Amino acid sequence: MQEIKANKHSYVLLAPYMLLFGLFTVLPVAMSLLISFTYFNMLEFPRFIGWQNYSRLFLEDDIFLIAIKNTLLFAAITGPLSYIACFVFAWIINDMRPKVRAFMTLVFYAPSISGNVYFIWQMIFSGDRYGIANGFLIRWGFILEPVQWLKTEIYILAIIILVQLWLSLGTGFLAFIAGLQTVDKTLYEAGAVDGIKNRWQELWYITLPSMKPQLMFGAVIQLTTSFAVADVSIYLAGFPSVNYAAETIVTHLMDFGTIRFEMGFASAIATVLFALMVGTNLIVQRLLRKVGE
């Protein structure tokens, strides 16, 4: 109590943020968790049904099992690769001159903020002879007939993963650029005196430990993006995709939440997704604590 009184001004300054955070983040999550145990169709008052939504989700909904498999595969590939790519490109760009660094940052960041960026990839993987991929492969004799890239089940998920990796240099990339700029340069001089001999040792023992907050922020952003993939799947593969080849947890959630209005079932899907995100982030936090050891 004494500590609260001593820091009362800090709590007053934090109060508006905490109020908004509780109102627009904590409360919706708590409400979603409660609604997941009900039958709620937006027309009738929610009716408590216990674990029926979850049992239906895992035991009766075959499409959800496809969605969770695709999402986990997607996250396992795009999450680590995009995280490493963000840091590597930021590390390389950080050593450039200021004007060149600003230009290269814009070049790498631009795809993530572009408007109709999926149109480019629709042109590349168009299913006719005018598609860039088909035109190239036919011209060089690799195929004789156009391939329906975005309508063929075995190609869809790989293409979406490729496009998402291309889009992944976003907020996390900027956080790494900012983190590298704040590393104290005198630490490298002290490290050289203490026996650090090359750039890799500088990276592991000085650079990474000095920017742990940015590393954590980037990890949360990249993991959340990889688990919450939906737009790229809808724009390229359609909604729903062929044989649900590109179905993810979020597109499944959109199906039941915004089309069928089965809000209780949709909330159960959202709760599972939330649990996956939180669990993965906790694992990543434990791994990042070992950086520099």
Side-chain angles (χ1 to χ4, degrees), residues 35 37-41 44-49 53 262 264:
I35 292 173
F37 293 100
T38 68
Y39 172 79
F40 183 31
N41 60 7
E44 303 172 324
F45 191 79
R47 186 176 74 253
F48 181 76
I49 58 173
N53 285 325
E262 296 186 30

Side-chain angles (χ1 to χ4, degrees), residues 35 38-47 256-267:
I35 292 173
T38 68
Y39 172 79
F40 183 31
N41 60 7
M42 298 289 289
L43 297 176
E44 303 172 324
F45 191 79
R47 186 176 74 253
F256 282 92
T258 63
I259 297 176
R260 309 188 195 195
F261 291 104
E262 296 186 30
M263 304 308 293
F265 192 69
S267 296

Side-chain angles (χ1 to χ4, degrees), residues 23 29 33 76 98 118 147 151 176 208:
L23 188 62
V29 170
L33 180 60
Y118 304 108
V147 177
K151 301 297 180 183
F176 291 151
L208 293 179

